[in-house]
Amino acid sequence: MIKKTTCAFVAGAVMALSVQSAAADGHGEITIGYFLEWPMPFLAAKASGAYDEALGMKVNWVSFETGTAMSAAMASGDVQMSVSQGVPPFVIATSGGQDIQTVDVAVSYSENDNCVVHADLEIDKETAGELAGKKVAVPLGTAAHYGFLRQMDHFGVDVSTLQVVDMAPPEGAAALSQKAVDFACGFGGGLGRMMEYGNVLLTGAEKEELGILVFDVTSAPASFIAENGDVVAKFLKVTADANADWTANQSEEMLSVIAQQAGMDLDAARTAIGGFTFPSIEEQLSEKWLGGNAAPFMQGVAGVFVEAGSIGSALDSYEDSVNTGPLQAASEM
């Protein structure tokens, strides 16, 4: 079972009851965390007001730079749900006792999360061992951090020999451009800017062959989900409809709205979303994702972080961290 942090749990329960009561009256508000420079179909639904209409309440949106910040906001009760939180920050939070759960697979994106080595070093996958002793910018506790650890292990680079600096992707990109670091890891717009100054060691496909999966989830406090299952299900349904629209049509009109909402120019958004995959509800509920592989994968991520000394211990199982109830309900709407 997941250990509960008492204060966070009580605060979450009070917030959940308040939102549920407000929803029943057709009023109230809910706050959702998301990322800028991360173009996804749900942003078109955000712009159209589809979430407000479906949930029958005002939906507020607040942007974050990392998934760890999302965890903190959910623990404090400032945010009720987070869209596209990376699995690693989710695992770190649950491993530390925060009672949050995964309710859907937001996006799979092996090509949009990576490490970039400055071009001046002329280091590629054949000479990656030369990274030993170098300085690297990594947003700790994120999907990029997990990918960094797995890649260094693959290349036989002892992480203890590296000078690891905790930087959000935009900061890491700036540091790489100024040669303040030798390589940097990140995602989204930050990764795009890193690519202007260097090269990746492994492609998305090469990472997947090594079992380095990269996907994000929609997450929320377990207490909030328990008290507001219908609200969560309706939210997931709107998201799924937006994903289906994009997958089927990929219209320039929809892309333009997504880019504007993500704070990106059209070409940058087109490039980024081109590397994204949005599984359908049916796919998400299958064995490949939440119906089977998700919990064991989280266990593996936790194991990597424990071995690296990033977290003290892992849960015995992450099955309780995956809640498919709202997604199943969304599939029937």
Side-chain angles (χ1 to χ4, degrees):
M1 294 293 291
I2 303 172
K3 290 186 287 186
K4 297 178 174 63
T5 303
T6 303
C7 291
F9 177 80
V10 172
V14 171
M15 176 67 74
L17 287 170
S18 298
V19 172
Q20 184 183 45
S21 177
D25 293 336
H27 302 290
E29 301 182 5
I30 186 174
T31 301
I32 309 296
Y34 74 110
F35 291 120
L36 290 174
E37 296 193 325
W38 200 239
M40 295 173 63
F42 83 87
L43 291 171
K46 168 183 177 291
S48 72
Y51 287 104
D52 304 71
E53 181 178 355
L55 273 60
M57 66 176 75
K58 179 177 169 55
V59 180
N60 300 307
W61 300 83
V62 58
S63 64
F64 294 91
E65 289 193 339
T66 66
T68 50
M70 286 177 167
S71 295
M74 288 187 286
S76 69
D78 292 335
V79 167
Q80 284 72 62
M81 296 177 65
S82 292
V83 178
S84 212
Q85 181 179 35
V87 170
F90 174 84
V91 167
I92 286 175
T94 55
S95 298
Q98 187 173 345
D99 199 8
I100 55 176
Q101 294 179 320
T102 288
V103 291
D104 84 354
V105 176
V107 60
S108 176
Y109 56 101
S110 295
E111 293 289 358
N112 282 276
D113 184 295
N114 220 326
C115 295
V116 178
V117 182
H118 200 285
D120 288 356
L121 294 179
E122 298 184 344
I123 294 175
D124 58 22
K125 63 183 178 182
E126 303 300 329
T127 58
E130 297 177 16
L131 291 174
K134 297 293 191 290
K135 187 174 183 179
V136 56
V138 183
L140 300 183
T142 67
H145 184 195
Y146 170 71
F148 158 71
L149 293 173
R150 288 292 305 273
Q151 289 195 58
M152 293 305 98
D153 180 65
H154 170 70
F155 290 120
V157 177
D158 186 348
V159 175
S160 68
T161 68
L162 299 171
Q163 184 179 350
V164 181
V165 183
D166 184 10
M167 287 187 176
E171 298 166 351
L176 189 67
S177 72
Q178 298 163 7
K179 299 183 182 180
V181 297
D182 299 300
F183 66 117
C185 305
F187 41 79
L191 175 62
R193 287 191 286 279
M194 291 174 195
M195 294 287 288
E196 297 175 14
Y197 306 100
N199 58 278
V200 298
L201 298 173
L202 295 172
T203 65
E206 288 172 331
K207 290 190 299 175
E208 288 182 349
E209 288 179 6
L210 297 173
I212 305 175
L213 302 178
V214 187
F215 67 95
D216 287 357
V217 301
T218 298
S219 57
S223 56
F224 177 79
I225 299 169
E227 297 290 344
N228 300 278
D230 188 50
V231 170
V232 177
K234 290 176 181 177
F235 185 92
L236 299 183
K237 173 60 175 173
V238 174
T239 300
D241 287 347
N243 288 342
D245 187 4
W246 172 254
T247 300
N249 303 307
Q250 299 192 14
S251 70
E252 283 295 301
E253 180 180 4
M254 187 174 186
L255 179 61
S256 178
V257 175
I258 291 171
Q260 188 276 327
Q261 290 289 316
M264 305 173 74
D265 66 52
L266 197 60
D267 288 340
R270 180 182 288 105
T271 297
I273 201 170
F276 290 167
T277 300
F278 304 100
S280 66
I281 290 180
E282 182 180 8
E283 290 171 327
Q284 292 177 55
L285 291 171
S286 72
E287 185 73 17
K288 179 179 179 180
W289 294 107
L290 303 185
N293 288 338
F297 179 76
M298 291 175 184
Q299 191 83 49
V301 171
V304 169
F305 279 128
V306 170
E307 185 175 349
S310 299
I311 59 176
S313 61
L315 301 179
D316 293 335
S317 170
Y318 287 80
E319 290 184 5
D320 288 343
S321 299
V322 177
N323 186 342
T324 59
L327 193 62
Q328 185 64 55
S331 72
E332 299 167 1
M333 290 180 173

